[in-house]
Amino acid sequence: MTRENPVLQKELRSIFFPAKQTVAQRKLQRTVAGVTAAAIYAAVLLAMREILKGMPDPTTHQTAWYVLYGILMGIQGIVLLAAPLTRLPATISREREKQTWNALLLSRLSPETILGGKYAAGLVSSLTALLFFLPLTVLAATLGGVPVFNVGLGMVVLTAMAAMLSMTSLYASWKQETTVKANNEAGLWMLGLVFGAAGVWGLGSLVWGVI
């Protein structure tokens, strides 16, 4: 798919291999990212070790890992809410501001290829957060006794949320003429989806409780 879509190739290169960066800068960036990731993992595991030391009853250790799993899933949800807003609202509006959007539309590429490439690149960027947290999430779920089905369902929900928010962010970028307006509309979409989902959840819980 990547080779068949030049827009997707271009967007992915701009995300992971910025043209303004030298090879040395890219290596430094990757090194810093790797060290930061290792430090985060080490800090979480060391904190868990200290917490478990203070829990003399071994039967409560599973609960501690279960709580960590819930915290990690919540963090991933927050990250996936914010990730589409960092890039996708500007992906089309910035092309308009640079006056390159019309040239792209007049090229041999179909509108589906252009929009699909931009959407897929933004979604890949958002889902990178899931890959970062995945090993620690699986460890916490395993030691916390979380059923495999629940873990899989949680990942599916997070992926669906990222896909939906990426779509609304791209729509805002297509609709608005400037990047500022696109960012504002994408933010409103995000707030609407978050509070709407919370409202539906609360209403469903109320109805279920009444029943």
Side-chain angles (χ1 to χ4, degrees), residues 80-137:
L80 289 179
L81 283 175
L85 301 180
T86 62
R87 183 174 183 84
L88 277 170
T91 188
I92 295 177
S93 56
R94 189 167 294 167
E95 295 262 17
R96 289 198 182 101
E97 292 172 348
K98 293 180 178 180
Q99 298 182 348
T100 56
W101 178 243
N102 288 336
L104 188 59
L105 291 177
L106 292 174
S107 66
R108 295 181 179 181
L109 300 175
S110 66
E112 293 80 8
T113 300
I114 297 172
L115 293 176
K118 290 182 174 296
Y119 172 74
L123 185 59
V124 168
S125 178
S126 298
L127 294 180
T128 303
L130 289 181
L131 294 178
F132 174 79
F133 287 101
L134 185 60
L136 194 56
T137 302

Side-chain angles (χ1 to χ4, degrees), residues 56-101:
D57 186 1
T59 59
T60 60
H61 290 186
Q62 188 179 61
T63 303
W65 285 106
Y66 183 86
V67 171
L68 176 62
Y69 168 77
I71 293 173
L72 290 172
M73 293 298 286
I75 292 174
Q76 290 175 82
I78 294 172
V79 171
L80 289 179
L81 283 175
L85 301 180
T86 62
R87 183 174 183 84
L88 277 170
T91 188
I92 295 177
S93 56
R94 189 167 294 167
E95 295 262 17
R96 289 198 182 101
E97 292 172 348
K98 293 180 178 180
Q99 298 182 348
T100 56
W101 178 243

Side-chain angles (χ1 to χ4, degrees), residues 21 55 132:
Q21 287 186 340
M55 303 171 67
F132 174 79

